[in-house]
Amino acid sequence: MSEHHDDGPVAAQTRHVEALLEARGLLDAVELDRALEAFLAGASPAQGARVVARAWVEPEFQDRLLADGNAALEELGLSMGGGIQPQRLKVVANTETEHNVIVCTLCSCYPIALLGPSPTWYKSEAYRARVVRDPRGVLAEFGTELPEHVRITVWDASAETRYLVLPRRPAVPVSDEAELAALVTRNGLIGTAVL
Ligand code: FE
């Protein structure tokens, strides 16, 4: 400390840094808004359908998708978004004996990048509470009756981890990837429907 307590230059420097931070903050806010707009404009079930159709036609892609959802999305130029906190994508595949359903029991966590905004029923307390206790009953209310031998697993999404159901490929004579994608429904990707 100098005797005459000359903090002038320090104060000036602090103000300068503050101004820079403020300018930077505004810049970040604008960039964030722009990124968010672009993200929401692209977020729809069509993205999830693209991912699923690719997995159906390319078994190696399906393997990579199930092993590391986020990395596989990048191959298609997609990402989970999520801003500050990156979202982990876990893809769960339906089989002849396994069916998967997604929920967020706590609130409404959902893979928005791949499905767009969530439907109202997904956020309802009735769905969140009941699908865990009685998945078969809830699925039946959606018109989805699964054979008794099919085991149903309910995946509880969180801020960090989001789930996407990989439905079984419908038994139709279609092999074109875009045509296959058109067969994929939002509820099929949530697991409340089969295709
Ligand atoms: Fe949630």
Side-chain angles (χ1 to χ4, degrees), residues 3 10 18 32-34 58 63 68 89-90 92 98 101-103 105-106 117 119 124 129-130 136 156 172 177 181:
E3 271 175 32
V10 175
E18 277 172 356
L32 199 63
D33 280 351
R34 207 172 283 154
E58 197 187 321
D63 291 343
D68 183 344
L89 173 67
K90 176 77 187 145
V92 287
E98 300 274 344
V101 189
I102 64 174
V103 67
T105 55
L106 210 60
S124 73
R130 292 184 51 230
R136 197 171 290 275
D156 192 359
V172 291
E177 198 174 320

Side-chain angles (χ1 to χ4, degrees), residues 88-102:
R88 176 171 169 264
L89 173 67
K90 176 77 187 145
V91 178
V92 287
N94 290 346
T95 68
E96 215 175 309
T97 54
E98 300 274 344
H99 184 86
N100 299 282
V101 189
I102 64 174

Side-chain angles (χ1 to χ4, degrees), residues 103-110 122 128 156-159 162:
V103 67
C104 173
T105 55
L106 210 60
C107 43
S108 57
C109 299
Y110 191 72
Y122 184 85
R128 286 158 40 207
D156 192 359
S158 66
R162 309 292 162 101

Side-chain angles (χ1 to χ4, degrees), residues 5-65:
H5 194 74
D6 182 8
D7 65 357
V10 175
Q13 207 172 4
T14 304
R15 280 194 298 276
H16 179 65
V17 170
E18 277 172 356
L20 281 177
L21 283 175
E22 197 181 8
R24 181 69 208 159
L26 288 171
L27 200 65
D28 282 349
V30 170
E31 275 171 15
L32 199 63
D33 280 351
R34 207 172 283 154
L36 196 63
E37 261 170 51
F39 170 73
L40 287 174
S44 90
Q47 305 291 18
R50 261 179 75 204
V51 175
V52 163
R54 175 64 58 88
W56 283 341
V57 298
E58 197 187 321
E60 295 81 14
F61 177 79
Q62 178 166 326
D63 291 343
R64 294 196 295 277
L65 182 66

Side-chain angles (χ1 to χ4, degrees), residues 117-162:
S118 61
T120 306
W121 58 258
Y122 184 85
K123 291 173 270 198
S124 73
E125 204 179 334
Y127 176 75
R128 286 158 40 207
R130 292 184 51 230
V131 76
V132 178
R133 289 201 307 268
D134 178 22
R136 197 171 290 275
V138 169
L139 290 188
E141 286 167 27
F142 277 91
T144 302
E145 309 261 4
L146 294 170
E148 278 304 317
H149 72 271
V150 176
R151 202 171 69 116
I152 302 171
T153 305
V154 180
W155 300 88
D156 192 359
S158 66
E160 302 81 33
T161 304
R162 309 292 162 101

